Amino acid sequence: MNNDKVIVAENLTKKFGDFVAVDNISFTVSRGEIFGFLGANGAGKTTAMRMLCGLSRPTSGRAETAGFDIRTQSEQVKRHIGYMSQKFSLYGDLTVCENMRLFGGIYGMSRSRIKAKSNEVMHELGLWDERNMMVEQLPLGWKQKLAFALAILHEPEIVFLDEPTGGVDPVTRRSFWEQIYMAADRGTTIFVTTHYMDEAEYCDRISVMVDGRIAALDTPTALKQHFGANSLYDVFYSLARDAKRN
């Protein structure tokens, strides 16, 4: 795999019986890129992301994530990525620090590295004063910060973010994207799904999935020019309005 390409998908397909969830998609993602993966509900984007994370085997086609084959080296894939879901996989009955230690251990980090990296991340994200607070007591925006901190704790090459800002206010969403920029500036590749078109504008490139296929892929500016649209919402609507899936 090209060292600059940390994700390479070639004719990637996933079927469930006769239903084709992901239909022969091909694309690449470069190191340090913020790549937006858009699509209406049922378009196949979550299924595609699960394959790229090594969590689901493709029916056909191939892909490499962080240089590892998703079909034959799924465990290596998992060790080189971070993942944050829209529901935040946090333990509410543990403190912020305890969540850090738990996830660091899951990632195979040494105790000394967990301590050093946890302190660094908590200071960087403004979580230091809340380090001994139970997670269930944190406001939603702070939980979001913590979930992102846990996803990058082990310094993965790629972070997959599955609709990470659902349910938070616009100010908090903007603050979260500032954290994404910081991670990308350090060379971390960001692969993000979102339903917010203003967030899609922050991405270096975006793809739009419709009925399991990639209907468009380019920079936000280029897509708006191509479709003669004033906004990405107009681009998305023009592509998704004829989708057969709900």
Side-chain angles (χ1 to χ4, degrees):
M1 186 176 75
N2 188 319
N3 288 334
D4 292 330
K5 305 298 182 185
V6 294
I7 297 176
V8 176
E10 298 175 351
N11 307 120
L12 197 61
T13 300
K14 181 68 176 184
K15 296 180 180 179
F16 297 97
D18 294 331
F19 177 70
V20 183
V22 176
D23 191 359
N24 200 44
I25 64 172
S26 299
F27 64 96
T28 64
V29 180
S30 299
R31 189 177 308 280
E33 185 174 19
I34 301 175
F35 187 82
F37 206 55
L38 279 59
N41 290 334
K45 59 185 186 300
T46 297
T47 300
M49 177 183 281
R50 285 180 55 81
M51 286 191 287
L52 294 173
C53 291
L55 299 173
S56 178
R57 289 174 61 86
T59 304
S60 62
R62 64 177 299 277
E64 290 184 10
T65 298
F68 299 100
D69 188 293
I70 63 169
R71 185 189 297 272
T72 62
Q73 299 173 298
S74 60
E75 290 307 311
Q76 290 94 320
V77 168
K78 294 170 190 175
R79 287 198 291 269
H80 287 79
I81 66 171
Y83 179 78
M84 176 181 169
S85 71
Q86 56 185 312
K87 295 184 178 180
F88 309 156
S89 301
L90 303 173
Y91 290 87
D93 57 347
L94 299 178
T95 67
V96 171
C97 277
E98 288 169 341
N99 269 272
M100 290 274 189
R101 288 197 293 270
L102 174 62
F103 278 83
I106 291 172
Y107 291 134
M109 299 168 64
S110 66
R111 290 185 179 181
S112 59
R113 188 180 173 213
I114 291 172
K115 182 177 180 180
K117 190 62 181 176
S118 295
N119 290 346
E120 175 189 327
V121 169
M122 284 188 290
H123 277 108
E124 185 176 277
L125 299 183
L127 287 167
W128 182 254
D129 290 341
E130 287 76 23
R131 63 189 182 280
N132 294 318
M133 184 180 292
M134 291 292 183
V135 166
E136 64 185 3
Q137 298 174 336
L138 293 174
L140 180 59
W142 291 102
K143 290 179 181 177
Q144 182 196 58
K145 279 189 175 186
L146 177 59
F148 185 71
L150 294 174
I152 65 173
L153 186 65
H154 58 306
E155 299 178 337
E157 295 180 48
I158 309 165
V159 177
F160 289 88
L161 307 175
D162 190 6
E163 298 181 25
T165 58
V168 298
D169 62 85
V171 174
T172 302
R173 286 201 288 123
R174 179 62 195 179
S175 175
F176 182 77
W177 273 88
E178 290 173 357
Q179 297 167 31
I180 289 178
Y181 286 142
M182 290 169 57
D185 285 343
R186 292 193 294 266
T188 302
T189 302
I190 309 295
F191 188 102
V192 57
T193 70
T194 179
H195 284 302
Y196 297 109
M197 293 301 107
D198 60 324
E199 291 186 353
E201 294 275 7
Y202 304 150
C203 298
D204 297 312
R205 288 188 304 147
I206 59 173
S207 71
V208 181
M209 285 194 73
V210 178
D211 292 339
R213 299 178 180 177
I214 293 180
L217 195 164
D218 213 325
T219 65
T221 298
L223 285 176
K224 286 184 287 187
Q225 291 174 345
H226 178 76
F227 286 90
N230 294 320
S231 68
L232 282 179
Y233 174 81
D234 294 332
V235 173
F236 183 82
Y237 179 74
S238 68
L239 289 167
R241 63 186 172 186
D242 296 323
K244 296 179 176 60
R245 301 180 189 174
N246 293 321

